[in-house]
Structure formats: C-alpha cells, structure tokens
Amino acid sequence: MSFVADLRVVLRGRDFRRLFATRLISQFSDGIFQFGVTGFAFFSPESQTTALEVAAGLAVLLLPYSVLGPFVGVFIDRWSRRQILVVAPIVRGALLLVTAGLVAADVPDPVFYAAALGVLGVNRFFLSALGASLPHVVPADRLMAANAVVPTSGTVLTFVGAGVGFLLREVFGGADRGVALLLVTSGVVFGLSALVARTMRRDLLGPQYDPRKPQAREAMRNVLIGLADGAGHLLRHRVAAATVGAMAAHRFLYGMATALGIILYRYYFTDGDPEAALRGVSLVVATSGVGYFLAVIITPYATARFTITRWVSIALSAAGVLTAALVLPFQEWGLPAAGFVLGVAGQSVKICADTTVQRDVEDIYLGRAFSIYDMLFNGMYVLAAALAAVILPANGKSYLAVAIISVGYPVAAVAYRMIIRQGRSTEPTPTTPR
C-alpha cells in the first residue's frame, strides 16, 4: 500500500518524527474535545436539541477554520513556529480548563460557545503552524510522501480520540460534570504536544527573517486582495476549479446529512433518549471513519484505473443513489451504512481535489488556492446545516432533506463533468511550429 510505503519513508527523519508526534497528540486531543462539545451541545439530558441548535453548534466547531484560516499565516510567517507549537497548547489547555469550569457551573449556552470558539481559534493557529513547519523537517524529494501521510494520520487520530472520548463519557457520565472532565482530559493531552515540540530547536521550523516583509497590518489587508486574486486564478484553471466545486457540493450535502442524522437519532429513533442517540451517532461516526480510511487506500488505484474525472463522478453518483436506498426507509440500520458510503465518497472526492489543485495551480498561487479551499470545505458544511434548520421537522424525518441529498450528488456529478468537458473544448488547440 502506498500509504504504508510513504509512512516508512518519512519516518526516517528524526525531526519529522517529532513534528509528526506533535500533530498526532494534538489531533487525538482534538477528537476528545470535539466529542465532548458534540455531546454537550446536542445530547445533553437537560436540553431539547433542535435543528437550529445543531446548525449553531456546527458553526462554532467549523467557522473558526474558515474565517481565521486565511489570516493566521500573516503571524505564522513572522513568529517562531516552534514557539507557537510550544505556547499554543498551553494557552489552549488553560482555555479548556476555563471552559470545563463554565460547563460545571451550568452557564448559559452562549457563554459556553464563546469559550469553545476561543479554544478552536487557538487550535486553528496551531494546525496552520504545523502545516507551515513541514517543509523544514522533510527533504524536498519526500515532501509529497509527507503530505500524503500527515493529514490522513491526523484525521485517523481524531477519529480515535472521538472513540476514546465516547469510552471516557461512559466512565465520567453524560452530565455536566462528565463533560467538564472530558474537556480537562483533552486539555491535559494537548499539553503533552508542547513537551514534544519543545525537543525541537527553536530555529528549526522557521520562518527566516526577511526585512522586506510588509508590516503585519499591511499584510492583513493584502490577504483579502490575495484571496480575490487566488480565486480568479483558480477559476482560470477549470479542471481544478470544477474539482474543488465537486468537493464543496459534497460538503454541503454531507452537512445536511449530518444535521438530519443528529435529529433523527435524537428524537425519531430513540424517543428522545440522549444516551441512546449519542451511541447511535457515534456508530455513524465510526463507520464514516472506516469509509474515510478505505478511500485513502482505494483512491490511488481507482484514479489510475478510471482517471480523476471519472472517479469523482462515480463517487458522487454512487453517494446519491446509495444514500436514497439506505436512508429513505428511515430505519436505524441505514444511517451507519450511509455514513460509510459518504465517508468513502467524500474522502475520495477530497483526495482528488487536493491532487488536482496541487497539480494544476501555479505554486505562487497555491497557498491562496488552499485558503479558498478550506473556506469552502467548512463554510458549505455550516451553510447546509443552516438550511437543514429551516426544512427539518422536530423529529428529523424529512423526505425533502433525503431527496435534496440523494438528487444533489448526481446533479453535482453531471455539473462537474459538463464543466470539465466545456473546459477541454475551449482550450486552444496546439499548433505544430513551421
């Protein structure tokens, strides 16, 4: 398997192993944190979760990654990245202790969400510093392998952390005290990443001093101009833009499926039993994680066999057809199976989008292109949850929502193929020099 081979190659570097361990510990901690927040926001015995509250909770979890993402690079390119990796876990741990205290004190939900936003903002800063540090610990000829291994391994550890969070919740209990203990545990684990980061030299991860860099205020202003410029460049590369659009369509439909699943488990399948609902949703998350990992293994072979364009279309179309077959009966067994299908399809599309952007977009625009990518990745998910808040009934059983998801995927596949074909038909035909 290419993943295993890539992992063996990059693990030979000592500094890479330290940076990699820092990331794995942090994302394991993040899985515990996300599970704790999800359990508190959506499955608390004291609350009656609505689709609107689901949308608000998902916005809190994801919007910092969309809004802050393009701007944190201004500071990551000016401050010692090694120091960011040392200090950020300490700040995040302190914020988690504060958040745990707020939960234990039974504060109003808006106060809790504000504290959670602070934690996630620091986490966005930390993850961006990790990404910018990678080229400093990996030789140029191994960077492609490192980029294949690091995000996949981090996401798998997030799933593992969520599973550990589930087990800890069984021990701590689902009341406010149990949630607070989960948050404290996440903070302590995250703090361990600072100890690993501290073993690296202070100047190892950059950035190098450059007196020609603009002031931070000017650089912040330039971010917005740069995003617009990057969007224009991406649109001029039709295949890359279409594949990013396919990824955005998946995230929108997946966001609606997430909101639908949470409300169905919270009320329709479990008669309002929050513990049973949480166990059901945890099973869906687990099957999605299996699908995600399977996509990592099969996508390189599938794209070699079918090409990226055909594999994206197959993944999207299959997601729509199978979602209809599995979810429309509104039986509890169908949602874990649908979670697996959407995990395979969604991650397949994402891998293809990553590859296409890296392949087609000029290097000077690559950072801006991926900033737009990240904004779409999380923003479309939240937008879908907001739409679900409008159309979902109180118990979650909505044929309209399932129809939007089931039809939306094949429509996205058709639109993707049409854009690709139009782009190829408008490309100038090479002429033979005389």
Side-chain angles (χ1 to χ4, degrees), residues 32-381:
I32 299 174
F33 170 76
Q34 290 186 22
F35 183 86
V37 171
T38 300
F40 179 81
F42 306 145
F43 303 102
S44 172
E46 294 83 14
S47 66
Q48 295 296 314
T49 303
T50 65
L52 181 61
E53 289 171 338
V54 169
L58 292 175
V60 167
L61 286 171
L62 295 173
L63 281 183
Y65 294 87
S66 296
V67 176
L68 296 177
F71 296 95
V72 296
V74 172
F75 301 100
I76 288 170
D77 289 343
R78 286 164 173 76
W79 298 348
S80 166
R81 293 177 189 136
R82 183 264 197 180
Q83 287 304 101
I84 291 174
L85 299 183
V86 172
V87 175
I90 299 171
V91 175
R92 187 180 189 268
L95 288 173
L96 278 169
L97 290 177
V98 172
T99 306
L102 294 173
V103 170
D106 195 22
V107 298
D109 287 352
V111 178
F112 167 77
Y113 283 140
L117 275 170
V119 172
L120 289 165
V122 174
N123 201 48
R124 172 70 275 182
F125 203 71
F126 181 88
L127 289 175
S128 295
L130 281 170
S133 300
L134 190 61
H136 293 268
V137 296
V138 177
D141 61 336
R142 296 180 183 175
L143 189 56
M144 183 73 72
N147 276 322
V149 165
V150 170
T152 298
S153 301
T155 303
V156 169
L157 262 290
T158 301
F159 278 114
V160 172
V164 171
F166 174 81
L167 296 176
L168 290 174
R169 193 176 190 273
E170 295 293 304
V171 176
F172 297 152
D176 289 350
R177 179 178 176 275
V179 175
L181 288 173
L182 268 182
L183 297 179
V184 170
T185 302
S186 174
V188 171
V189 173
F190 201 94
L192 297 177
S193 66
L195 299 179
V196 178
R198 199 170 182 275
T199 63
M200 292 181 280
R201 298 193 322 272
R202 184 166 184 155
D203 61 344
L204 174 67
L205 307 178
Q208 293 182 348
Y209 174 71
D210 184 355
R212 296 170 298 176
K213 283 182 182 177
Q215 295 295 316
R217 182 179 299 178
E218 181 184 352
M220 293 282 282
R221 187 166 55 248
N222 290 340
V223 167
L224 298 176
I225 300 172
L227 284 175
D229 194 24
H233 180 81
L234 184 61
L235 289 172
R236 289 192 292 274
H237 291 73
R238 193 180 293 267
V239 174
T243 314
V244 170
M247 178 278 302
H250 157 70
R251 288 293 292 178
F252 179 85
L253 298 167
Y254 189 62
M256 182 167 288
T258 300
L260 173 69
I262 289 173
I263 300 300
L264 280 174
Y265 272 110
R266 187 69 168 86
Y267 298 109
Y268 185 73
F269 293 141
T270 62
D271 295 323
D273 182 349
E275 294 300 319
L278 183 58
R279 285 192 290 271
V281 170
S282 298
L283 178 59
V284 176
V285 171
T287 57
S288 295
V290 173
Y292 171 95
F293 190 70
L294 182 61
V296 172
I297 296 172
I298 66 174
T299 298
Y301 301 103
T303 53
R305 172 69 176 84
F306 298 109
T307 74
I308 284 178
T309 301
R310 289 178 182 170
W311 183 238
V312 169
S313 300
I314 290 169
L316 292 173
S317 300
V321 172
L322 293 174
T323 296
L326 293 168
V327 180
L328 274 177
F330 285 101
Q331 297 295 315
E332 192 169 348
W333 57 264
L335 269 68
F340 172 78
V341 168
L342 294 181
V344 174
Q347 186 59 21
S348 294
V349 173
K350 184 181 183 301
I351 292 170
C352 292
D354 290 350
T355 303
T356 305
V357 172
Q358 290 173 341
R359 182 193 67 192
D360 293 354
V361 174
E362 295 174 24
D363 185 66
I364 193 172
Y365 288 96
L366 204 53
R368 284 168 283 181
F370 272 108
S371 291
I372 296 165
Y373 184 117
D374 288 342
M375 294 172 74
L376 288 171
F377 187 83
N378 295 305
M380 295 299 287
Y381 193 86

